[in-house]
Amino acid sequence: MSRAPLPLSLPRALLVAVTALLGSAQAAQTPAEAAVTQRVEALLHRMTLDEKIGQLTQLGAGTPGPNKETTDDLIRAGKAGSVLWTINSADIERMQRVAVKESRLGIPLLFGFDVIHGYKNVFPVPLGMAATWDPALVERAQAMAAKESWVSGVNWTFSPMVDIARDARWGRIVEGAGEDTFLGIAMARAQVLGFQGPKLGTPERVLASVKHFAAYGAADGGRDYDSVYVPEVQLRNVYLPPFQAAIDAGSGTVMSAYMTLNDVPASGNAWLLRDLLRQEMGFKGFVISDAWAVHSLRVHGYASDEVDAAARGLRGGVSMDMGSNTYLKHLPGLVKAGKLPIKVVDDMVREVLTVKVQMGLFERPYGDPARKDAVLNDPAHRAATRVAAQKSIVLLRNEGGALPLKAGLKRIAVIGPLADSAEDIKGSWTLEAAGAAVSVLEGVRARWPQATVDFVRGGDMQRAYPLPWDAEQGKPAPSLMPAAEMAAEQARAVQAAQQAEAVVMVLGERANMSGEAASTSDLRLGGNQQALLEAVVATGKPVVLVLLNGRPLDISWAAEHVPAIVEAWFPGTEGGNAIADVLSGAVNPGGKLPVSWPRSTGHAPVYYNHNRTHADETDPKFTSRYANLTSKPLYPFGFGLSYTSFRYSDMKLDRAAIPSGGRLQVSVTVENTGAVAGDEVVQLYVHQRSGSAARPVRELKGFQRVTLAAGAKQTLSFTLGPDELKFWSPVTRRWGVEPGRFDVWAGGDSGATLHGEFAVQAK
Ligand code: NOJ
């Protein structure tokens, strides 16, 4: 059992003094907030300098302390607020007992891990979850991941990543919701609510950490960790709104980014972390650095040495140092030497303790070992991963009704180096705890039990480079097979295709080819995959290409020559079954692209909500395009086909003009004009024709995913008001809805043509 909950009784005189010190801000607190403050102040009052700095330290589990102390020793001495990267429940429980029972003040620890898209039961990678365009589903999924984490003892997840990513070369595009701010807002909010519940302290949920603050996805050249240069106008209109949504949804922590933002490292940037994040955006939790990012302030050529890095990290607004022990080593000396006021330390400790109290961590410091097995093996969780995977799949091409495949098929060839991989199908950031997944091959075999299913790997691919920790963990780095073997594999694949009635090719990336430190200068299919695809298509057999990948790839050849293309992302535990559900028609795909799809590597970055700059796009020459390539993506943002078809009609605006700050309703009717039921994501786009600054050609401002029976129609209504119509003007330097004429379009992707218009008038 944990210790008696705090507050410990404070002498009244002290309480009065504390209340007076806290000033008017606290005077406006609700009784519940005041109770939290009181408890935090009582605790802070009892803490030594070392214990305070301990709360600002996240230890790397097993990493020796500055004086070779063990992790347990440091915890016992109160020199840790959190422990990083442990998911072994027994270790967690032991460390938490040391903190709660053996440290002087018994302050429980936070155990932080990257529970990104599932704990044991793995959901699609975040980019795939965004492709569902279904925030309610995303919220339910993260609530399940939270429950699995919580019972296991992991009470803090480093998620959601809400970085807008416009460049497919950037490996971490897989971890976010893609290129669009409005969709990013919806996904940010849904994930925070899923992880934390409606408020911190909701039972069986975990603390969220929205990341990476800020604009980490705008890395130069799409190279991970590289410098970011983003002007304020773009920061405010494009990159910050999903963070604001996560903060408004209550995210208890924010993770600061690794890179320099406009030359100042994000993890030591007082303007960013103090003025903008805390003062302006109203963030009330605490800031965790990215791993070793405080230490890196020196590497950036920003801090002069480690001591300076510690001072700059704290003054810059990082409350807790992840992993580097820079605070632990150097903050005590800085305070004792009078170089850092204790108030700067105290304010950060307050933030950390406040979150711990709000979470109910003092009352519930442990997971729930007795229920762990039941929760992790809850069939409802596994079933939910299958539904999420089905909904994340995007049908990119389906010429001549190539899909769905017939139920009565007798012989199917399943080809490709990823086809039997039950590992890759889970995607990056999968925990050791993750259960076995279903490969595409297994899914096809289960769906067509009567058929002969021939599997041929067909070749191989190599990821960008071998990672040192593969060797450390005793895993061989996956490597390209020898050329002769590859040629033999390819020949076998062609033979299998010739004997089959239908061919399912599973190509793309290995899980670790996207994600952190996995940017690429080449979006083409790796290894012999392109040659394999061309050889199999040349057999003339009907081919379905299933893509497993964490980013758009160069599939321009396939887009012309392969009749059916299914984008499955990394769909998770039930991925193979979900893919087979779609291939067979048991499930009608309805996912939509959360990114514009480039035609080649040199086409990236390409995004739909760009400005119109010079002549319009019909001009053959003087317009913003490459001389050798259209500016249009291969597939537009929001795109995805279905086994049925939809017709849009009857756009109605309930008024032709509104005052600035007013609202109007746009309604539109969508009809399923095909023979089977299906899902459609109805999308609304807006464009402002003139203003104090140029506005994008169109921007997503509404969406709803609906299911319609064959022949059914539904009228959907969207509100356009200040939230949708405002923008931050670099001229007025503020947010506002500016008067002018607006276009509005509704349809099934960002090329929507059903059009209306309205005016916003000055008040
Ligand atoms: C580094 C990554 O950038 C961040 O996203 C992650 O949460 C931390 N490592 C902790 O694993």
Side-chain angles (χ1 to χ4, degrees), residues 250-311:
S251 184
T253 68
V254 166
M255 187 185 295
S256 63
Y258 272 132
M259 79 300 153
T260 53
L261 173 62
N262 302 328
D263 284 347
V264 183
S267 294
N269 186 334
W271 172 76
L272 186 68
L273 299 181
R274 290 186 181 273
D275 302 355
L276 188 69
L277 177 66
R278 290 175 168 93
Q279 299 305 320
E280 199 182 318
M281 296 174 77
F283 175 60
K284 296 274 182 290
F286 74 86
V287 175
I288 174 83
S289 75
D290 202 334
W292 278 258
V294 171
H295 171 85
S296 291
L297 295 177
R298 194 173 60 109
V299 181
H300 285 299
Y302 181 63
S304 55
D305 55 23
E306 261 201 34
V307 181
D308 193 28

Side-chain angles (χ1 to χ4, degrees), residues 58 84-85 112-114 116 157-159 161 172 175 211-212 216 224-225 255-256 258 289-291 322 429 516:
Q58 183 177 54
L84 174 63
W85 290 328
F113 215 103
D114 298 88
I116 306 288
T157 179
F158 303 131
S159 183
M161 186 190 101
R172 304 197 77 170
E175 294 180 54
K211 68 190 188 185
H212 305 82
Y216 178 49
D224 209 2
Y225 315 123
M255 187 185 295
S256 63
Y258 272 132
S289 75
D290 202 334
M322 186 191 283
W429 286 124
E516 188 179 350

Side-chain angles (χ1 to χ4, degrees), residues 257 314 710:
L314 200 73

